[in-house]
Amino acid sequence: MRYLTQSQVAALGGSDPLLALNDVIDTVKLMRTGEASMPAETHVTLDAPQGKVYSLPARVAGRFNATGVKWTAHRPQTRDGLPMAIAMTLLNRADSGLPVALMQSGSLTAARTAAVSALALTHAAPAPLKRVLLLGAGVQAAAHLQMLSSLFPRLERVTCWNRTPSHLENMLDKAGDLPWPVQRITGIDEALAQPWDALIACTGAGQPFIGPEAMGPGRLVMQIGYHEVSFEAIDRADKVLVDGWGDYCNTSAKSLFQMYRTGAFSESRVAADLANLVVDGWRPGPDDCVYFSSFGLNVFDIALAARVAHEAQRQNVGTVLPLELGPLA
């Protein structure tokens, strides 16, 4: 079994937007045929304020041949200078159960989330994409900026906003040369008032700041964070899309699922999920206002991790850990 560090995962293509998008597309197809599955998550609490550790299992057959679990510690109140979320992924072969890899996997989560957004931008945008509004400057926003640069180089402009301008400048400095002009906006009202075709919200907001005035014909509003979009805004959308709908609707802090639990949204209003986009060819009308809620399906994490593990074996990268699998003496 190989142990892979964060830098090794990145060097093996773990953050590559195109590879991640292909992984997501293939996994969606496997989910439709029953060859990929994602049981319900479980968690335990930490002995720290609001701290929890989540166990997120999944199985992905096909070229991935993997079962695995992402084990993520959420540490919102810690002050040790380390990330608030620390993720590790353990992989076994799907056909035999043999352990194959243990890796640091925080960057994989960001890459697969941005890849899902790329899929939505490609298939669920009602109008041709010219101008994108990106909100946020954290790990997810940076991954989306990389994805846009790699997969959508012909955009006319990307407008960026973050509550803390210095964090935004830091993200853009690290992004290097980008293929389109970047407009920096310091006020959220001014940012939302700019002309845009797609909005990608990647913030940590605990209260909605995107209201119904943002919902116009021919627009795609994508919520990556937890509670950025108001119920009134969601209600105004002509088409509501999700990556998936599962038991997590009863517990998730995502705006759409909070709205569902109040009785203000019914699952029957969901127009399409990722399988409808990829397999069935569902598309919105050109004048639709589309809202896309990205929950974050951990089955994609396992797919990306499996691809990285295969490449690590091919290149003989990582620390090989001995396994004693024989009978005990």
Side-chain angles (χ1 to χ4, degrees):
M1 184 173 74
R2 294 177 187 273
Y3 174 73
L4 299 171
T5 65
Q6 180 173 275
S7 59
Q8 289 171 330
V9 169
L12 291 164
S15 301
D16 185 286
L18 181 57
L19 294 177
L21 177 59
N22 290 335
D23 292 340
V24 167
I25 291 172
D26 287 352
T27 302
V28 169
K29 294 176 181 177
L30 290 169
M31 292 174 71
R32 172 60 70 88
T33 60
E35 297 174 272
S37 58
M38 188 182 75
E41 67 180 45
T42 59
H43 74 268
V44 294
T45 57
L46 290 173
D47 296 329
Q50 301 179 34
K52 294 181 180 180
V53 185
Y54 291 86
S55 172
L56 301 152
R59 164 185 165 268
V60 195
R63 66 179 171 93
F64 304 104
N65 187 25
T67 60
V69 60
K70 185 174 73 167
W71 183 249
T72 304
H74 288 265
R75 314 153 352 103
Q77 301 299 319
T78 55
R79 291 176 173 81
D80 54 13
L82 299 175
M84 287 191 296
I86 298 177
M88 303 291 296
T89 295
L90 175 65
L91 290 179
N92 296 63
R93 289 177 61 99
D95 57 5
S96 67
L98 289 175
V100 293
L102 174 67
M103 67 185 72
Q104 291 182 267
S105 55
S107 61
L108 295 179
T109 298
R112 60 88 165 152
T113 305
V116 168
S117 295
L119 195 157
L121 288 168
T122 301
H123 298 302
L129 284 179
K130 297 179 181 178
R131 298 155 299 191
V132 172
L133 174 58
L134 177 62
L135 308 179
V139 172
Q140 288 291 353
H144 278 74
L145 188 65
Q146 180 185 5
M147 176 273 290
L148 290 171
S149 176
S150 177
L151 302 181
F152 298 89
R154 298 187 181 278
L155 294 173
E156 289 182 2
R157 186 182 69 210
V158 172
T159 299
C160 294
W161 170 88
N162 188 61
R163 183 178 59 181
T164 305
S166 61
H167 294 172
L168 176 59
E169 293 302 322
N170 184 56
M171 179 184 76
L172 293 175
D173 288 343
K174 291 181 177 178
D177 293 332
L178 296 169
W180 14 250
V182 174
Q183 181 181 24
R184 298 165 172 83
I185 300 291
T186 57
I188 184 58
D189 291 338
E190 182 185 359
L192 292 171
Q194 299 296 310
W196 48 267
D197 308 303
L199 180 155
I200 306 174
C202 299
T203 76
Q207 294 296 325
F209 63 93
I210 299 171
E213 64 280 357
M215 314 300 284
R219 281 183 164 181
L220 171 62
V221 175
M222 302 172 58
Q223 180 177 345
I224 312 306
Y226 283 103
H227 197 24
E228 301 155 315
V229 183
S230 71
F231 295 172
E232 293 80 9
I234 297 171
D235 196 49
R236 186 169 291 187
D238 298 305
K239 299 292 190 299
V240 174
L241 276 57
V242 296
D243 49 4
W245 190 281
D247 292 340
Y248 38 84
C249 68
N250 296 311
T251 56
S252 171
K254 293 282 185 175
S255 299
L256 182 66
F257 297 136
Q258 289 193 46
M259 186 177 178
Y260 164 77
R261 292 195 294 275
T262 69
F265 183 86
S266 169
E267 182 185 353
S268 63
R269 277 196 60 194
V270 174
D273 59 17
L274 295 182
N276 297 131
L277 296 179
V278 171
V279 181
D280 302 327
W282 184 95
R283 299 293 182 269
D287 295 322
D288 281 338
C289 175
V290 179
Y291 166 76
F292 177 73
S293 177
S294 178
F295 172 70
L297 305 182
N298 55 284
V299 67
F300 299 136
D301 293 79
I302 300 306
L304 266 67
R307 189 242 308 155
V308 167
H310 294 162
E311 188 63 18
Q313 182 177 16
R314 189 184 73 82
Q315 297 187 28
N316 194 26
V317 172
T319 303
V320 178
L321 305 176
L323 291 173
E324 295 184 359
L325 300 178
L328 295 176

